[in-house]
Amino acid sequence: MSTEASAVRNGGYGYLGTDNIFKVANTEAEALKYSPTGKVVSFAGPHAYGNPVVPTGTGEYDQLAIKLHADGSLTESEGFTIPAHIAKVVKELQ
């Protein structure tokens, strides 16, 4: 899903939702509130609407819906490539 640049924020705290999808909140307290496991990690990258984002090159961003599977593998719901720095952060929640 394409997102306008004005919605993008940098930095926050990541957690896994009940569906094991990586989400990002603006504050640690907010991430802890929504994390069913109580585990959160610092996230330095851009995010919008609770999802990490990557630039499209057209001034907009693509939202990533990254799922962490029990075996430690990651998938993105629309087949977008998961950047290594984001994958590393998500795997810290395993």
Side-chain angles (χ1 to χ4, degrees):
M1 175 187 314
S2 215
T3 300
E4 66 282 356
S6 62
V8 175
R9 303 288 177 258
N10 283 307
Y13 290 86
Y15 63 94
L16 292 176
T18 55
D19 52 5
N20 279 350
I21 301 284
F22 181 69
K23 304 300 277 178
V24 182
N26 290 323
T27 67
E28 185 175 19
E30 183 181 5
L32 284 167
K33 176 181 171 183
Y34 293 114
S35 172
T37 64
K39 290 173 89 173
V40 300
V41 292
S42 179
F43 182 73
H47 61 94
Y49 306 113
N51 298 303
V53 296
V54 291
T56 63
T58 64
E60 292 189 343
Y61 290 77
D62 282 328
Q63 293 183 49
L64 303 176
I66 302 168
K67 184 169 188 163
L68 176 63
H69 300 277
D71 66 0
S73 65
L74 301 173
T75 55
E76 201 290 320
S77 69
E78 295 192 24
F80 292 122
T81 300
I82 302 168
H85 68 284
I86 297 175
K88 182 180 179 217
V89 172
V90 176
K91 288 185 175 193
E92 289 177 24
L93 293 165
Q94 188 174 19

